[in-house]
């Protein structure tokens, strides 16, 4: 028995064009909540050297599945010492949208695709040349089809132990590429949990000498990119197919704006090939996996449910996506634009 626990503070840095995760450990007296803490923002692309103190404000706390016991994972947002949000903090604006549109009871289920790398090449790829072309890898089984399953299983167990609403995992179309899904959850919960699930993935893969990457197009050529399909519904959509179609149309009216905020290098992935629709034009359709937005066949059959936005890149910011979906769809439902 000890009278302290370890709190792993996790936050988002200011790296451009895509922010990444940082973390450090605080030893906290047992029986007390993880307090507000601080760090040196000049080492995370968030401050100049002469005035670099930034504040870590805990927003969600989870049991730490890796250290076990009473230890915790503490998801934080980055603030200035005066209490205002840092410009790289996209959560505070997501929070405003979540509050504004809370009566719509929006749910999000996000599919995070990612790729394992060992050294300069994807895990399990041959030293020279390429593996067999895509075709047998998606949801595959066997040592010739899947690479890294032990890491994926450890990550799944860790997410479940941490109380994260992970809803499934699968091997993807490109060998060494995988997916996990978080949700359905509300806008802030899904985004907080997505960041913590990402952190757990990197941390667990580290022990296997493997790096997980959210690169949207990790291998050029005839290999699938990595996306983050975002499944979305409001209370009204869960009762009406017409509302699902209205939502799909609203997204089409703001296509360029969404594309510009769905992750760096999105044009490399949304080519119109490899199960994507071109970023240049918007489309939606029932069961259509080459449309920008898909209405799943069960939704058409049941006459209610949700829509799947297939455009987001794997390197998306979940706080930005949930805010945009709320502003575009719920804003449209309310006649705001
Ligand atoms: P796909 O067939 O596109 O691979 P997945 O099974 O990977 O779909 O992911 C679907 C996600 O959608 C899951 O996370 C699931 O929890 C979520 N989901 C299911 N119903 C809803 C809903 N009504 N609103 C939002 N998300 C939902
Ligand atoms: Mn999926
Ligand atoms: Mn997928
Ligand atoms: Mn999907």
């Amino acid at each position: 028995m000890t009278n302290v626990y370890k709190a792993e503070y996790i936050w988002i840095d200011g790296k451009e064009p895509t922010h990444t995760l940082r973390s450090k450990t605080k030893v906290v007296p047992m029986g007390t909540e993880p307090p507000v803490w601080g760090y040196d923002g000049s080492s995370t692309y968030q401050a100049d050297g002469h005035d670099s103190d930034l504040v870590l404000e805990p927003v969600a706390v989870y049991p730490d599945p890796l250290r076990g016991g009473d230890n915790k994972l503490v998801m934080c947002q980055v603030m200035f010492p005066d209490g205002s949000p840092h410009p790289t903090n996209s959560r505070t604006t997501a929070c405003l949208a979540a509050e504004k549109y809370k009566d719509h009871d929006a749910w999000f289920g996000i599919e995070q695709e990612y790729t394992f790398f060992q050294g300069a090449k994807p895990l399990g790829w041959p030293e020279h040349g390429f593996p067999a072309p895509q075709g047998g890898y998606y949801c595959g089984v066997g040592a010739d089809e899947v690479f890294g399953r032990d890491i994926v299983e450890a990550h799944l167990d860790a997410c479940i132990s941490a109380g994260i609403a992970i809803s499934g995992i699968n091997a993807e179309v490109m060998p060494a590429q995988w997916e996990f899904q978080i949700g359905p959850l509300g806008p802030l919960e899904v985004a907080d949990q997505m960041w913590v699930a990402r952190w757990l993935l990197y941390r667990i893969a580290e022990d296997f000498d493997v790096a997980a990457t959210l690169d949207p197009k990790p291998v050029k050529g005839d290999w699938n990119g990595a996306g983050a399909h975002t499944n979305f519904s409001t209370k009204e959509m869960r009762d009406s197919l017409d509302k699902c179609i209205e939502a799909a149309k609203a997204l089409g009216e703001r296509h360029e704006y969404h594309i510009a905020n769905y992750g760096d290098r999105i044009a490399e992935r949304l080519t119109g090939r490899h199960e994507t629709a071109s970023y240049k034009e918007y489309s939606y359709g029932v069961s259509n996996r080459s449309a920008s937005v898909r209405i799943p066949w069960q939704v058409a059959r049941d006459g209610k449910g949700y829509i799947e936005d297939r455009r987001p890149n794997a390197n998306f910011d979940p706080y930005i996506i949930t805010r945009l979906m709320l502003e575009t769809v719920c804003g449209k439902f309310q006649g705001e634009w």
Side-chain angles (χ1 to χ4, degrees), residues 111 179 229 231 289 294 308 310:
E111 308 168 44
E179 168 182 315
H229 301 164
N231 301 273
R289 287 181 189 261
R294 177 177 67 109
E308 178 193 43
R310 301 175 58 81

Short mmCIF file of all heavy atoms in Angstrom, two decimals, residues 111 179 229 231 289 294 308 310, ligand 4:
data_model
loop_
_atom_site.label_atom_id
_atom_site.label_comp_id
_atom_site.label_asym_id
_atom_site.label_seq_id
_atom_site.Cartn_x
_atom_site.Cartn_y
_atom_site.Cartn_z
N GLU A 111 -14.64 5.96 -36.60
CA GLU A 111 -13.80 4.82 -36.99
C GLU A 111 -12.38 5.34 -37.23
O GLU A 111 -12.13 6.01 -38.23
CB GLU A 111 -14.34 4.19 -38.28
CG GLU A 111 -15.81 3.83 -38.23
CD GLU A 111 -16.36 3.46 -39.62
OE1 GLU A 111 -15.70 2.73 -40.36
OE2 GLU A 111 -17.46 3.93 -39.94
N GLU A 179 -8.12 -0.63 -37.69
CA GLU A 179 -9.13 0.36 -37.30
C GLU A 179 -9.70 0.01 -35.94
O GLU A 179 -9.84 -1.17 -35.60
CB GLU A 179 -10.27 0.33 -38.34
CG GLU A 179 -11.52 1.10 -37.91
CD GLU A 179 -12.66 1.02 -38.93
OE1 GLU A 179 -12.39 1.18 -40.13
OE2 GLU A 179 -13.80 0.80 -38.51
N HIS A 229 -13.95 7.60 -40.73
CA HIS A 229 -15.39 7.75 -40.99
C HIS A 229 -16.08 8.18 -39.71
O HIS A 229 -15.85 7.60 -38.65
CB HIS A 229 -15.98 6.43 -41.48
CG HIS A 229 -15.36 5.91 -42.73
ND1 HIS A 229 -15.50 4.61 -43.16
CD2 HIS A 229 -14.57 6.53 -43.65
CE1 HIS A 229 -14.85 4.44 -44.30
NE2 HIS A 229 -14.26 5.59 -44.61
N ASN A 231 -19.63 8.63 -37.98
CA ASN A 231 -21.05 8.29 -37.99
C ASN A 231 -21.76 9.24 -37.04
O ASN A 231 -21.32 9.44 -35.90
CB ASN A 231 -21.23 6.83 -37.57
CG ASN A 231 -20.48 5.89 -38.50
OD1 ASN A 231 -21.00 5.48 -39.52
ND2 ASN A 231 -19.23 5.58 -38.15
N ARG A 289 -20.29 3.14 -50.78
CA ARG A 289 -18.99 3.36 -50.14
C ARG A 289 -18.04 4.15 -51.02
O ARG A 289 -16.88 4.36 -50.67
CB ARG A 289 -18.39 2.02 -49.70
CG ARG A 289 -19.12 1.46 -48.48
CD ARG A 289 -18.54 0.15 -47.98
NE ARG A 289 -19.40 -0.43 -46.95
CZ ARG A 289 -19.17 -0.33 -45.63
NH1 ARG A 289 -18.13 0.31 -45.18
NH2 ARG A 289 -20.00 -0.88 -44.77
N ARG A 294 -22.33 8.26 -46.68
CA ARG A 294 -23.12 7.04 -46.92
C ARG A 294 -24.28 6.98 -45.94
O ARG A 294 -24.12 7.25 -44.75
CB ARG A 294 -22.23 5.81 -46.74
CG ARG A 294 -22.96 4.47 -46.90
CD ARG A 294 -21.99 3.30 -46.78
NE ARG A 294 -21.44 3.18 -45.42
CZ ARG A 294 -21.75 2.22 -44.55
NH1 ARG A 294 -22.58 1.26 -44.88
NH2 ARG A 294 -21.21 2.22 -43.35
N GLU A 308 -23.05 8.33 -42.35
CA GLU A 308 -21.61 8.14 -42.21
C GLU A 308 -20.88 9.12 -43.10
O GLU A 308 -20.97 9.02 -44.33
CB GLU A 308 -21.22 6.70 -42.60
CG GLU A 308 -19.73 6.44 -42.53
CD GLU A 308 -19.30 5.15 -43.22
OE1 GLU A 308 -19.80 4.85 -44.33
OE2 GLU A 308 -18.47 4.43 -42.64
N ARG A 310 -17.69 9.90 -44.74
CA ARG A 310 -16.51 9.08 -45.05
C ARG A 310 -15.29 9.94 -45.40
O ARG A 310 -14.22 9.41 -45.70
CB ARG A 310 -16.83 8.15 -46.23
CG ARG A 310 -18.00 7.22 -45.93
CD ARG A 310 -18.39 6.39 -47.15
NE ARG A 310 -17.30 5.57 -47.67
CZ ARG A 310 -16.93 4.40 -47.16
NH1 ARG A 310 -17.54 3.90 -46.12
NH2 ARG A 310 -15.94 3.73 -47.71
MN1 LIG B 4 -17.00 3.16 -42.31
#
